[in-house]
């Protein structure tokens, strides 16, 4: 947007005796994308702009077109006309960006390269240092507000504990900015968004329970949770997902060979007796212990169902699958996936992380003390 303003592609334009402030001509913008190597061809340029429309970043000046047309039509960035929707997530992201820019531009910044357990980390700070700085700079009124802000930044993936083991605390724990706001991003990254969120709901999801060698005439098995909500779930292969998503993972390149009748729903009712909050899990003295599980996926998947959100829980486990062998149990809460703190994420996002990750899955889970 700023580059288009600098290049005078965004300007006030007159059409049918009316002036439209801060707008651009779609056809001219497509030309610009190709000329500036932001898109290899017109078709890609159109897809990129459609992504921006879908995310409410640009729109037709009169909202007469819901799609982006490569024509002499006027469009505008919503930030230029005040219609950009500032959701809670976006406000946190923009606050994080503002704090990051302020910190990196300071002469004596608290952001430094530090070492912990012989590993060097970039853009790090101590939790108590950040709290001190936020109060001193007037970004918050007191230390409690500073901790709340730090927790919001961590839950949105902007900062993190260097080894992903802790939430944000006013202490000497070491944190870092996980998002590098100054990294130059190319528009084409928009087209690389993984489509596995939608696929994770499909019958071929590797998060449905699976069975390697179904007995003749028995192509499904029951969830381990013995209650009225038991559903029959068909076996699936992870390779069917990777082929759909265009994943070139060599571990799962074989074509699917298991074919079964239509799949039933994967236990829609939660197995939890009551909802649990992150605050309950993380509060000092809480009756939960953390375990690390290493699960090596096989040709069918990992053998568990994850559901819920903030925090997610293990809904069901295949008794004969890799997850069960690693010690996974129903009702455990998912703390981290391959080193990434995930208590603040929903199950679709966690499913996407697992599907696009390595075959060997390292998960930290929290379970109630018996």
């Amino acid at each position: 947007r700023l580059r288009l303003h600098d290049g005078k592609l965004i300007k006030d334009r007159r059409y049918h005796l009316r002036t439209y402030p801060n707008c651009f001509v779609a056809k001219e913008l497509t030309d610009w994308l190709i000329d500036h190597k932001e898109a290899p061809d017109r078709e890609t340029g159109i897809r990129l702009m459609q992504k921006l429309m879908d995310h409410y970043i640009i729109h037709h000046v009169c909202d007469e077109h819901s799609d982006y047309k490569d024509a002499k039509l006027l469009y505008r960035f919503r930030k230029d006309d005040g219609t950009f929707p500032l959701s809670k997530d976006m406000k946190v992201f923009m606050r994080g960006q503002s704090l990051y820019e302020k910190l990196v531009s300071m002469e004596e910044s608290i952001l430094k390269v530090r070492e912990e357990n012989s590993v060097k980390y970039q853009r790090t700070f101590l939790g108590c240092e950040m709290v001190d700085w936020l109060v001193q700079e007037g970004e918050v009124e007191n230390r409690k507000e500073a901790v709340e802000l730090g927790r919001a930044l961590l839950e949105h993936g902007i900062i993190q504990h260097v080894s992903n083991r802790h939430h944000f605390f006013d202490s000497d724990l070491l944190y870092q900015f996980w998002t590098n706001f100054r990294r130059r991003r190319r528009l084409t990254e928009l087209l690389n968004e993984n489509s596995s969120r939608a696929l994770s709901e499909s019958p071929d999801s590797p998060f449905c329970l699976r069975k390697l060698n179904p007995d003749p005439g028995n192509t499904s098995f029951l969830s381990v949770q013995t209650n009225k909500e038991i559903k029959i779930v068909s076996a699936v292969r992870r390779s069917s997902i990777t082929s759909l998503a265009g994943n070139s993972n060599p571990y799962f390149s074989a074509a699917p060979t298991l074919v079964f009748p239509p799949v039933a729903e994967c236990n829609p009712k939660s197995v939890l007796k009551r909802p649990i909050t992150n605050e309950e899990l993380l509060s000092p003295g809480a009756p939960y212990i953390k375990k690390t599980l290493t699960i090596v996926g096989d040709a069918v998947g990992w053998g568990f169902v994850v559901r819920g959100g903030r925090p997610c829980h293990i809904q069901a486990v295949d008794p004969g699958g890799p997850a069960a062998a690693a010690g996974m149990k129903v009702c455990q809460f998912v703390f981290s996936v391959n080193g990434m703190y995930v208590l603040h994420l929903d199950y679709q996002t966690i499913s996407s992380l697992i599907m696009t990750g390595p075959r060997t899955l390292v998960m930290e889970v929290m379970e109630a003390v018996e």
Side-chain angles (χ1 to χ4, degrees):
R1 172 177 156 268
L2 295 177
R3 291 168 67 198
L4 293 174
H5 272 287
D6 290 342
K8 307 300 181 185
L9 261 77
I10 294 179
K11 59 186 179 182
D12 297 352
R13 297 176 187 270
R14 194 167 178 81
Y15 181 72
H16 282 183
L17 303 179
R18 180 179 172 182
T19 300
Y20 296 90
N22 294 319
C23 59
F24 59 86
V25 178
K27 190 174 184 302
E28 291 180 6
L29 181 54
T30 309
D31 293 337
W32 185 91
L33 291 173
I34 296 171
D35 292 343
H36 288 76
K37 303 291 190 292
E38 291 289 355
D41 49 53
R42 303 195 79 80
E43 180 184 358
T44 305
I46 294 168
R47 289 171 58 206
L48 287 169
M49 290 301 102
Q50 186 61 51
K51 278 281 187 181
L52 296 188
M53 289 197 75
D54 294 342
H55 285 77
Y56 300 99
I57 293 172
I58 64 173
H59 68 123
H60 180 255
V61 289
C62 299
D63 290 316
E64 292 176 355
H65 301 279
S66 59
D67 53 351
Y68 181 82
K69 297 182 182 295
D70 186 20
K72 290 186 177 181
L73 293 173
L74 299 180
Y75 292 82
R76 184 188 289 131
F77 278 83
R78 289 187 177 275
K79 202 161 184 181
D80 283 332
D81 62 11
T83 61
F84 183 69
L86 279 176
S87 64
K88 181 183 176 183
D89 290 347
M90 184 55 67
K91 287 178 181 177
V92 173
F93 183 85
M94 293 176 73
R95 184 77 185 276
Q97 184 176 26
S98 170
L99 293 174
Y100 179 82
E101 291 294 342
K102 193 171 180 179
L103 282 164
V104 297
S105 61
M106 293 176 65
E107 287 188 10
E108 295 295 324
S109 175
I110 62 173
L111 298 188
K112 298 174 183 175
V113 177
R114 291 182 172 92
E115 189 172 306
E116 185 172 286
N117 295 328
S118 301
V119 178
K120 285 188 176 180
Y121 297 96
Q122 304 287 332
R123 303 184 295 274
T124 67
F125 55 89
L126 300 178
C128 55
E129 283 183 338
M130 177 61 82
V131 171
D132 290 341
W133 181 82
L134 289 170
V135 174
Q136 290 167 7
E137 293 295 315
E139 293 286 345
V140 294
E141 290 191 3
N142 51 54
R143 301 187 78 83
K144 181 182 177 183
E145 277 190 23
V147 172
E148 290 173 354
L149 175 57
R151 290 191 159 225
L153 295 175
L154 187 144
E155 290 172 2
H156 284 75
I158 295 169
I159 65 172
Q160 68 168 20
H161 178 253
V162 290
S163 57
N164 264 315
R165 296 185 181 278
H166 301 282
H167 211 309
F168 183 81
F169 293 100
D170 183 2
S171 67
D172 59 357
L173 290 171
L174 189 60
Y175 300 87
Q176 68 179 154
F177 269 87
W178 184 244
T179 301
N180 181 0
F181 291 100
R182 291 195 169 183
R183 181 177 75 83
R184 171 72 183 278
R185 291 167 174 81
R186 301 198 68 81
L187 269 178
T188 47
E189 291 181 33
L190 280 173
L191 301 180
N192 296 329
E193 290 181 346
N194 198 288
S195 58
S196 55
R197 173 182 288 258
L199 292 173
S200 67
E201 298 295 336
S202 76
D204 279 346
S205 171
F207 299 90
C208 288
L209 300 182
R210 13 75 75 221
K211 191 172 185 180
L212 272 173
N213 298 303
D215 300 325
N218 178 17
T219 57
S220 56
F221 63 89
L222 296 179
S223 156
V224 294
Q225 198 66 17
T226 55
N227 57 35
K228 294 179 182 178
E229 297 301 321
I230 285 178
K231 304 288 183 181
I232 292 179
V233 186
S234 292
V236 293
R237 291 178 65 91
R238 184 176 187 258
S239 55
S240 58
I241 275 291
T242 53
S243 60
L244 280 170
N247 193 321
S248 58
N249 191 326
Y251 290 121
F252 303 101
S253 58
T257 58
L258 300 179
V259 180
F260 301 104
V263 179
E265 212 174 350
C266 292
N267 285 358
K269 185 175 180 179
S270 173
V271 296
L272 300 178
K273 293 179 180 178
R274 67 176 182 85
I276 303 293
T277 65
N278 285 337
E279 286 70 24
E280 285 183 77
L281 283 178
L282 300 171
S283 62
Y288 296 96
I289 56 173
K290 191 188 296 181
K291 292 185 175 180
T292 301
L293 309 178
T294 301
I295 309 166
V296 182
D298 56 27
V300 184
W302 293 272
F304 65 94
V305 179
V306 60
R307 283 292 182 267
R310 304 174 183 88
C312 288
H313 64 274
I314 303 303
Q315 176 78 1
V317 180
D318 172 8
M328 181 174 283
K329 300 175 184 176
V330 169
C331 294
Q332 289 175 332
F333 295 94
V334 185
F335 183 87
S336 72
V337 173
N338 294 327
M340 180 176 178
Y341 174 83
V342 297
L343 279 182
H344 59 294
L345 301 178
D346 56 30
Y347 76 88
Q348 293 101 328
T349 306
I350 291 179
S351 299
S352 175
L353 285 173
I354 295 173
M355 272 197 290
T356 57
R359 182 183 187 182
T360 299
L361 174 64
V362 179
M363 291 178 65
E364 287 183 296
V365 296
M366 299 184 74
E367 69 178 32
V369 178
E370 295 295 335

